[in-house]
Structures are given as C-alpha cells and as structure tokens.
Amino acid sequence: MGELDKNRRIIEKLHRVDLHQYKYCSMLMDMVLAVKDDNLELAKSECQHVKNLAAMGSRKDSRFMELYWKAVLFLAQNKDLDSYLLYLERYRDPEDRFYLPRRNQLRKLGLVQAMQDLIDDKLDILTISCPPGVGKTTLAEMFLSGWIGWDPDACNLFSSHSGHVTRMVYDVICNIIGADLKQGQVSEYAWRDIFPDVNIEAVNAKEETINLGKFKPFKSITFRALGASQTGVTRAEGLLYCDDLCSGIEEALSKIRLDKLWTKYSTDLKTRKKAGRKGKKCKELHIATRWSVWDVIGRLIKLYAGNKRCRFISIPDIDPESGKSNWDYQYGVGFDEEYFEDIQQSLDEITYKCLYKSNPVEREGLLFAPDTLRRFKRLPPDREPDAIWGFLDPKGEGTDFNCLGVFYQYDQDYYLYDVVFKNINPYSLDTLNAECLVRNNVQVCQVESNKEGVRTGDAIQEEIDNMGGRCVIEKKLSSANKETRIIVNSPWVIKHVLFLEPKTPEYPDGYASQSDYGQFMSYFTSYSQLSKNGTDDAPDMVTMLAIHEGGFDGTVTETMTRQERVALGI
C-alpha cells in the first residue's frame, strides 16, 4: 500500500469519529500536511473542513483558534482567495479590517467566487460594476497582492484612466507586501507570513513597478495609465487588470471619445498580453463605473456574449426582489437603503442609474429624458376627473415586469397617478393589480392580450368583482412592433402625459426611488432608441394609452409608401 493510500484510509477513519473534538480535528490537520505533496486538491478539501470545524469550535475551546489560523494559512498559501483575504488582515486592528466586515456580503454577491474562478483558470475575462465606494477596488487590490505572490515569476499589468490612480494602487500594493517598510517596522498585513519564500527583488516608484522573485525585464506588476508609453516596457502574461478606463461622464457622453477609448484599450493594453503561463491564457479583470453601453465593458459584453469563460457582474445599489441594500455590511460598515435614497435625490435619474444601478444608458437616444417630461405634485383641485383609465402590460415568463398604470384624465391631459411595477410571480400579481384598480375607482382597464394577458385579465376581473369594484377589464391584442409604436407615439406622450415629481427634501410627498413608481420611472426615462434596452415594459404601457387615444399602433400596411416608412423609422 502506497503512502497516499495509507493516509487516505486514516482520513476516512477520522471522518467516522467526532471531529468537533479538538484531538481529532487536530489530527485531520496533520493529515492535510501529510498528503499535500501527493494530492494537493485532497489536502485543500480536508483543510476547508478543518477551517470550518475550528471556526465553530473556537467559541468553546480556545485551542481551536490556533488550529483555525493554521488551516487558513495553509489555504491562503495554496490559492484560496477567501482564506488569503482573512489571513492577510489577521494582525490588523479589528476596526481597520476591510474584508471581515464585508465577507458575508461579498461572498453572497459572488464577487469572491468570481475572482477565485480567475485564479482557478475557470474564467479568462471578469468584469465587475458596482456603486461607488462599496469597496470593489480595495477588494481587487488585495486580490492583486495575492495574485503576484502565488506566481511571482509572471508579469502583470495594471492600468487606469489617470496616473493618479495608478500611483495610488502602486502605493497600496507596496504597503500590503511590505515593500515600503523601513528597518525595524512591522507591517500590519501578514503578506510575508503567507509568502515567506517570495523575495521582493525590486520596487521602482518612478516607473511604478514591483518585481518579486528573480530579476526579469518585465516586472511582476507594472502600473501604467492608459495612453502612457507601454512599448517595450510592459507585458502581461498572468493578469491584465483595468480599473475605470473611462475618465468620467464627459468622455462617456461622446461616442467619438468612447471609440478612441476602445482603440487605446485594444492597441495599448490588449496587445500587451502574452500567450500566458503553464498552458493558461492571460486573464483580464475589469472594474469600472458603467457610464455607457459603448464603454470598454459594454463592448466586451457584446464581443464575448455566450462565452462561458467570460463573466460580467453588475450589482446595483438595491436588491430588486427584497428591496434591501446590497451593500449594507456587518458592524455598521457600508450603505443602507436610506443612504442610497438620499444620494438619489441629489442626482438626475440617468446619472444615478449609471453610477448606482450599474445600468448604462445613452442620453443622446433617450425618448423620455427626465427634463422633457411634464410633472405634477397633486391632481387638479376642485374638479373631478373626466375619466380614470388603467393600462396593463402583464408579466410573462422571464425578466419582464408587470406594468400597470392608472391615469386620471382632465381634458387632454393624463396624470399617471398610480403604478404597479414588479417582477415577481405572475399569479401573485393578480391581487395587487386588482387592489390598485379598485382603490383608484378605475372605470376601464385595458390589458395587453398576449399569452399571459388572457389569463391575467380574467383573473383580475374576478378579483375586482369579489372586491365590489366597478372596473371593466378589456383585453386587446397589440401589434408585435413594439419599438416602432413606442417611438412614433413618444411625442404625444411627452405632450399629454404628466408624471409625479420625485421625492426631495423640499417635496417629501413625491415618489420614493425604490417604490414601484420610482422603479417605473427609472426604466421609462432610460429607454433609448439607439441602443439595446433591458426591458420596454414601462414605455410600452404608456404607449397603450397613446394608441387608445388615437395613436399609431405599429401596424404597417402595404398602402404605405417607402417615404412614409422611412419617415416613421420603420
């Protein structure tokens, strides 16, 4: 029997005893060290088990704490990112630690696993877009410090839109690895404990390079601003890490400048990539605020759509299902819903959608830009409405929304007063829709008679009758050419439809950003005729009103001339 087989049998026997006892858990850790040279994957798997058991056991027996850190160190040295991040900050003051307070949420959101998949060669390209200030760049800096430690002989490249950013990240990495320590100083990071055999060969503040291990012409990590000279001095065979290549909103608003940005990325950065090491491709990590669908990440998404080795992560401020902040970390660190609500009141809707929803839109092609819409704070006083209408674009399968709008008509003006805008199980929406129609005394509600609309209309009518409401549901089949009818009817909508004012400190009764009305307005005002839209449910529902009042329904007949079709954009 070989040594590995013998050790496997011992491990199997240990799993049949109570590993919550320190003696047996410690023996399992000994076996981890015994098999690591023969079967590293087995060793890592068992070490994860020790790590979890020791974390639980440390609450009752202090001996488990030492065992816990022993397991974490082993995993950190063997490319387990979660363990690396934990051990890296082991000696930092608790209030100064970045990872531990954010750990549960960063793992839940999939950011740690996505970076782990880069390490494990499961991904070639990873992009991450999140709201400002949530720690995405700090997480990536810590990840980068581990990346160069695990493979010090590889050359890597970091780039951003400005030299200020590259210098800042250079300084951070130097601090983490202890390259800037003076004699007698002790680093607050445990990087050298994790990589005791990795030599810091040279650091060059002027050139912003760090070299680990042996001397090499292309350094372990080079920091260069986009547009700075790369020729002959930089290469990337391990990782190309790009952080905010787009300098801001001015650049994002210009398609010409975004085209130039893509050219710079393609020629100055992507061409720096070498074939890779040990049969693996050079990886790419992009972290950026999404300003435009034509930015670098947007074009990468189009270029590599469907490629399983590319992952594009976009996480907004608020979880749309729970309504809770995605970035409210433990121990009072992070941002709650109230914080994002306050920020949204100080920004226009499109900027907020880009920065905090990670959902870029093209302002030039917007059909319903916020500043072009008519607004109201309250319905006209001392007068009853001429009619109260309801229009419903029902939710079907997939990611589309249930979009119900209630319009109060006064002469030729239509006030959008109430909205049900949700992406949840269609069957749970019937009651919500019926309640909205009944509380507003809607007289007639038109339901788009698509596949789901037939069932929805009947179900809502039954609910209304049970509630004693008077609303009559009318089902109407709409044309398939949604985009055409939305575009053609947009001038009528801008002229005749009024929308609530958003909530502000001066007007606290306005709609809240996370309400159904707020979510509806976010999608409505970001609908673009120049780029692909995530969903058209919001503008399509309002267009149903326009068509009802005599607008164009998108149907094209053979009697139309070619000039007429061109004029309509069909």
Side-chain angles (χ1 to χ4, degrees), residues 79 118-121 124 147-156 212-214 216 218-220 235-239 273-283 309:
K79 300 186 178 182
L118 271 184
I119 296 168
D120 295 340
D121 193 31
D124 294 324
W147 182 278
I148 61 176
W150 288 315
D151 192 359
D153 294 328
C155 55
N156 305 277
L212 305 179
K214 60 187 179 182
K216 46 189 174 290
F218 302 115
K219 308 308 178 185
S220 298
R235 288 289 187 275
E237 59 185 358
L239 178 70
K273 290 173 62 176
K274 297 176 69 176
R277 283 171 53 81
K278 303 174 183 178
K280 300 178 181 178
K281 289 184 179 180
C282 178
K283 311 302 181 188
R309 293 188 63 84

Side-chain angles (χ1 to χ4, degrees), residues 120-363:
D120 295 340
D121 193 31
K122 295 179 180 179
L123 294 176
D124 294 324
I125 296 177
L126 171 63
T127 74
I128 297 174
S129 303
C130 307
V134 298
K136 55 187 181 296
T137 296
T138 303
L139 176 65
E141 289 168 340
M142 295 172 70
F143 160 81
L144 180 59
S145 71
W147 182 278
I148 61 176
W150 288 315
D151 192 359
D153 294 328
C155 55
N156 305 277
L157 175 61
F158 172 89
S159 188
S160 184
H161 67 273
S162 74
H164 172 75
V165 176
T166 61
R167 182 54 189 240
M168 179 186 69
V169 178
Y170 165 82
D171 288 339
V172 168
I173 300 301
C174 283
N175 184 44
I176 290 175
I177 69 175
D180 55 357
L181 291 179
K182 297 177 181 178
Q183 188 172 6
Q185 285 185 319
V186 178
S187 175
E188 61 178 340
Y189 293 97
W191 191 87
R192 292 193 179 185
D193 289 353
I194 301 171
F195 304 110
D197 300 326
V198 176
N199 175 48
I200 302 176
E201 191 267 339
V203 294
N204 188 321
K206 181 180 179 181
E207 296 296 328
E208 294 181 10
T209 61
I210 299 172
N211 193 51
L212 305 179
K214 60 187 179 182
F215 170 84
K216 46 189 174 290
F218 302 115
K219 308 308 178 185
S220 298
I221 180 70
T222 300
F223 301 83
R224 282 287 187 280
L226 186 64
S229 177
Q230 310 272 4
T231 306
V233 295
T234 62
R235 288 289 187 275
E237 59 185 358
L239 178 70
L240 170 61
Y241 170 16
C242 304
D243 195 300
D244 271 330
L245 295 181
C246 184
S247 59
I249 189 170
E250 288 189 19
E251 185 171 25
L253 288 175
S254 170
K255 179 65 163 52
I256 294 175
R257 293 180 68 179
L258 289 176
D259 289 342
K260 291 181 179 178
L261 176 62
W262 175 255
T263 300
K264 286 182 180 180
Y265 157 75
S266 301
T267 58
D268 293 354
L269 297 180
K270 201 171 183 70
T271 58
R272 299 296 103 194
K273 290 173 62 176
K274 297 176 69 176
R277 283 171 53 81
K278 303 174 183 178
K280 300 178 181 178
K281 289 184 179 180
C282 178
K283 311 302 181 188
E284 288 190 45
L285 172 63
H286 293 259
I287 294 180
T289 297
R290 295 296 316 281
W291 287 105
S292 168
V293 296
W294 297 107
D295 62 15
V296 171
I297 290 180
R299 298 184 196 224
L300 288 174
I301 291 173
K302 292 182 177 70
L303 188 61
Y304 295 104
N307 189 326
K308 294 181 179 180
R309 293 188 63 84
C310 302
R311 188 172 303 163
F312 308 101
I313 296 178
S314 178
I315 305 173
D317 52 352
I318 304 295
D319 180 1
E321 293 187 6
S322 68
K324 300 295 184 181
S325 170
N326 279 319
W327 308 101
D328 197 3
Y329 302 121
Q330 292 180 314
Y331 314 122
V333 177
F335 311 102
D336 58 15
E337 300 85 45
E338 185 178 353
Y339 169 84
F340 289 120
E341 184 82 29
D342 181 62
I343 291 293
Q344 186 160 15
Q345 292 180 18
S346 65
L347 298 174
D348 67 84
E349 293 189 50
I350 305 305
T351 299
Y352 191 86
K353 197 175 183 71
C354 294
L355 283 172
Y356 289 89
K357 298 295 183 185
S358 299
N359 191 354
V361 294
E362 297 310 300
R363 294 170 187 252

Side-chain angles (χ1 to χ4, degrees), residues 270-519:
K270 201 171 183 70
T271 58
R272 299 296 103 194
K273 290 173 62 176
K274 297 176 69 176
R277 283 171 53 81
K278 303 174 183 178
K280 300 178 181 178
K281 289 184 179 180
C282 178
K283 311 302 181 188
E284 288 190 45
L285 172 63
H286 293 259
I287 294 180
T289 297
R290 295 296 316 281
W291 287 105
S292 168
V293 296
W294 297 107
D295 62 15
V296 171
I297 290 180
R299 298 184 196 224
L300 288 174
I301 291 173
K302 292 182 177 70
L303 188 61
Y304 295 104
N307 189 326
K308 294 181 179 180
R309 293 188 63 84
C310 302
R311 188 172 303 163
F312 308 101
I313 296 178
S314 178
I315 305 173
D317 52 352
I318 304 295
D319 180 1
E321 293 187 6
S322 68
K324 300 295 184 181
S325 170
N326 279 319
W327 308 101
D328 197 3
Y329 302 121
Q330 292 180 314
Y331 314 122
V333 177
F335 311 102
D336 58 15
E337 300 85 45
E338 185 178 353
Y339 169 84
F340 289 120
E341 184 82 29
D342 181 62
I343 291 293
Q344 186 160 15
Q345 292 180 18
S346 65
L347 298 174
D348 67 84
E349 293 189 50
I350 305 305
T351 299
Y352 191 86
K353 197 175 183 71
C354 294
L355 283 172
Y356 289 89
K357 298 295 183 185
S358 299
N359 191 354
V361 294
E362 297 310 300
R363 294 170 187 252
E364 291 182 357
L366 294 179
L367 279 183
F368 308 106
D371 56 0
T372 66
L373 301 179
R374 298 176 66 189
R375 302 280 187 165
F376 73 96
K377 292 183 178 179
R378 58 189 60 85
L379 296 173
D382 305 323
R383 179 183 171 185
E384 291 296 316
D386 300 332
I388 306 174
W389 302 95
F391 292 90
L392 172 61
D393 184 1
K395 174 175 173 54
E397 298 178 356
T399 59
D400 63 334
F401 282 73
N402 172 97
C403 187
L404 169 64
V406 173
F407 298 85
Y408 284 61
Q409 180 183 356
Y410 295 85
D411 297 326
Q412 298 302 309
D413 288 337
Y414 297 82
Y415 293 70
L416 180 59
Y417 185 74
D418 205 351
V419 170
V420 178
F421 190 74
K422 294 185 182 297
N423 177 13
I424 57 178
N425 188 300
Y427 294 93
S428 63
L429 287 161
D430 298 335
T431 301
L432 293 176
N433 288 326
E435 288 175 345
C436 178
L437 295 171
V438 171
R439 70 171 172 262
N440 286 287
N441 295 312
V442 174
Q443 297 147 349
V444 177
C445 178
Q446 185 182 109
V447 177
E448 186 177 34
S449 185
N450 53 22
K451 181 179 178 182
E452 175 60 26
V454 175
R455 184 210 67 80
T456 298
D458 292 340
I460 293 175
Q461 186 68 74
E462 183 178 352
E463 293 262 10
I464 291 172
D465 294 341
N466 292 336
M467 295 176 188
R470 62 172 181 161
C471 180
V472 175
I473 299 296
E474 293 182 351
K475 288 173 281 188
K476 182 177 180 180
L477 185 64
S478 62
S479 71
N481 200 336
K482 278 190 176 185
E483 183 178 8
T484 299
R485 72 188 190 193
I486 291 172
I487 293 173
V488 171
N489 286 288
S490 60
W492 186 94
V493 170
I494 292 173
K495 182 178 181 180
H496 292 284
V497 180
L498 290 84
F499 301 86
L500 275 171
E501 290 275 5
K503 180 179 180 180
T504 63
E506 296 76 24
Y507 180 54
D509 294 330
Y511 66 81
S513 60
Q514 302 311 320
S515 66
D516 281 21
Y517 207 112
Q519 292 295 307

